[in-house]
Amino acid sequence: MIVPPGSHTAFIGKPESPDQWLMYLYGKLPGPGAPSRLYSQYYEGEQQKLAFSQMRYKHAFADVFQQWRDNFCGMIVDATNERLSIDSFRLPETGTDKDARAFWQRSSMDAYSNAVHLEALIQGTSYVVVWADAQGEPTIAPVSCERMAVCYKPGSLNELEAAARFELDPWGRQQVTLWTESYVYEVAYGTTEWDQGERRPNPLGVVPVVGFENRSRLLGDPFSDLVNVIPIQDAINKTVMDALTASEFAAFPQRFVTGLEIQEDSNGNPIEPFNVGADKLLQAEDPAAKFGSFEAADLKNYVTLVDMLVQHLASVSRVPSHYFLVNSSNTPSGEAIISAEAGLVAKVRERMLHFGEAWERVIRLCFAVKRDKRKDAFEMETRWRDPEYRTEAQHIDALLKLKQLNVPEEILWAEAGFSAAQIDSFREMRREDAKAAAEIQKLMPQPEPQNSPAIKPPQGNSGNANRKIHEAKN
């Protein structure tokens, strides 16, 4: 945990100095009890509360069910995140931008972009920092909202006035970095006082931090996908725990006997008259004794209630019911699955819209580091992989119909799921195939020219008239 210096006093008004900015932004970091950390616990399945209907059951079964988990929160988030896969970045004039792809691959964003989306879906916000490495090449670094705080310009939804990153090394030393439009302020590892940092000009002229906000609104902070899920998850945990308790106390048929004299030991405690077992026979000499059994508790009511709660969970999260294995006695058909996933696909496309804008700002910052004019390429677009799962036959059949509408082949390749790198290799392969075909054509017998004098006069049944015409022309 990063602790702010104790020698600084609170200030009133807008921050002016770097240490004031750091104190202000540090106060915006989520604390130990912040909702974002609670959402992380639910995603990881570490929120187990052991909710029993009575406290005495908790004391009795706390050790038995300590490792018990029945958590849908992780699956709900993963169902969206697994469909958020970036393919490339395109410009209208030049198509797929190879330099943007080089920035992307250099920073290993094929893997880390997934983590950026995941943190935003869980905690509501995640961040990316763009800066130059020792060779002057742009680097893209994901940062959790637990380590980064930002301040937007008044009236702006995407332009930052300042941003600060608070990091700890493995030995517990802190490093703090502050970005503003005019300067960068860095407090080195091991320096405990924030007014002892180094200040230098910001060569980019903008704060090189991009926020990825989940379900952002014009007013109010972005929020997690688990906001409306957690109460239902808690209700499911409570119901299942009650079912497990009932299975211990009432799910087995209890036997009873009446009219039997109760024997006691020397301490006055009743002695168990029978050793009950599957291979035991109960008998009594007293003719007034009667044996019987109570009916076992029916746990189907708990199953019905849990199914209802899971269906509510599916509706709130827009994740299809077959993900939860609800009513799984009949396997749904392919068409039924596609129809059921329409809400999830629409949800994913909405996230693509906002996350795509953020990634485009990241790539423009990379070009700004290189002092490339494409830093102002606002027409850039992010190309995502298709979030809809379809059978291969259906997909290819749809693409062949698009080809009949004269849709360019490269668009069809992209829609077929091929990456930008594969499409580039396709182009190179087609050029090589054309060259090889041209070389082979040169080795084949060439047709004789039409005006060659070696052409014979017309033959056959055309008669003497045709031969005379031919001779007259010659």
Side-chain angles (χ1 to χ4, degrees), residues 89 128 130 152 157-159 208-213 354-368 375 377-378 380 382:
F89 298 90
V128 165
V130 179
Y152 287 92
L157 297 176
N158 52 30
E159 295 184 7
V209 177
V210 178
F212 288 74
E213 297 183 345
H354 295 281
F355 290 167
E357 286 292 326
W359 283 121
E360 290 158 19
R361 290 198 295 273
V362 169
I363 297 301
R364 287 197 294 269
L365 282 173
C366 292
F367 283 121
K375 66 180 181 179
F378 297 101
M380 180 185 301
T382 306

Side-chain angles (χ1 to χ4, degrees), residues 87 90 383 385-386 395-396 399-400 402-403 407-431:
D87 178 69
R90 293 177 60 88
R383 291 192 60 86
R385 299 287 179 87
D386 190 357
H395 195 188
I396 298 303
L399 295 178
L400 291 176
L402 290 177
K403 183 176 178 61
V407 175
E409 287 187 346
E410 291 193 14
I411 299 297
L412 299 179
W413 291 341
E415 293 295 329
F418 296 106
S419 66
Q422 289 176 314
I423 293 175
D424 287 343
S425 66
F426 290 170
R427 295 197 200 100
E428 185 63 29
M429 291 177 184
R430 295 190 67 173
R431 283 193 289 267

Side-chain angles (χ1 to χ4, degrees), residues 8 16 98 172 252 276 307 309 341 357 378 380 402 411 449:
H8 294 272
E16 297 294 342
K98 295 183 179 180
F252 297 98
V276 180
D307 282 350
L309 291 172
E341 292 183 351
E357 286 292 326
F378 297 101
M380 180 185 301
L402 290 177
I411 299 297

Side-chain angles (χ1 to χ4, degrees), residues 98-328:
K98 295 183 179 180
D99 292 332
R101 190 167 64 199
F103 302 151
W104 190 262
Q105 297 290 343
R106 184 183 181 89
S107 298
S108 303
M109 294 310 296
D110 278 344
Y112 293 134
S113 61
N114 178 272
V116 174
H117 302 152
L118 183 61
E119 287 297 311
L121 293 172
I122 296 173
Q123 298 186 326
T125 307
S126 60
Y127 297 97
V128 165
V129 178
V130 179
W131 202 242
D133 60 9
Q135 291 76 33
E137 295 294 331
T139 59
I140 305 172
V143 184
S144 170
C145 68
E146 297 183 7
R147 299 293 179 89
M148 174 77 73
V150 302
C151 177
Y152 287 92
K153 291 182 178 180
S156 176
L157 297 176
N158 52 30
E159 295 184 7
L160 297 179
E161 188 171 4
R165 179 176 182 178
F166 304 86
E167 289 291 346
L168 287 175
D169 68 4
W171 296 272
R173 299 178 303 171
Q174 69 176 19
Q175 182 192 37
V176 182
T177 306
L178 170 69
W179 292 274
T180 67
E181 291 183 332
S182 58
Y183 64 85
V184 180
Y185 185 80
E186 187 172 7
V187 181
Y189 281 115
T191 303
T192 59
E193 296 298 327
W194 287 350
D195 57 355
Q196 297 179 6
E198 179 183 356
R199 176 172 174 169
R200 60 183 186 273
N202 183 353
L204 299 181
V206 295
V207 178
V209 177
V210 178
F212 288 74
E213 297 183 345
N214 182 46
R215 304 170 69 184
S216 57
R217 300 175 57 190
L218 297 180
L219 294 176
D221 296 330
F223 51 98
S224 168
D225 272 5
L226 300 179
V227 169
N228 298 322
V229 169
I230 286 177
I232 304 177
Q233 178 67 64
D234 288 342
I236 292 174
N237 290 345
K238 169 63 170 58
T239 304
V240 175
M241 193 60 67
D242 288 345
L244 294 175
T245 305
S247 70
E248 179 70 16
F249 281 98
F252 297 98
Q254 299 294 318
R255 297 180 176 87
F256 66 87
V257 58
T258 61
L260 187 68
E261 183 179 357
I262 299 176
Q263 302 293 326
E264 296 180 350
D265 59 14
S266 59
N267 296 323
N269 298 319
I271 300 175
E272 185 177 0
F274 301 104
N275 182 15
V276 180
D279 57 345
K280 304 294 183 182
L281 178 65
L282 304 183
Q283 61 181 359
E285 296 180 356
D286 191 341
K290 295 182 179 180
F291 295 92
S293 64
F294 298 106
E295 292 186 2
D298 188 0
L299 300 181
K300 292 182 179 179
N301 293 331
Y302 293 104
V303 176
T304 302
L305 180 55
V306 170
D307 282 350
M308 183 198 71
L309 291 172
V310 170
Q311 289 175 1
H312 289 188
L313 199 62
S315 177
V316 169
S317 63
R318 301 179 71 184
V319 175
S321 297
H322 59 265
Y323 272 65
F324 300 90
L325 300 179
V326 177
N327 299 325
S328 58

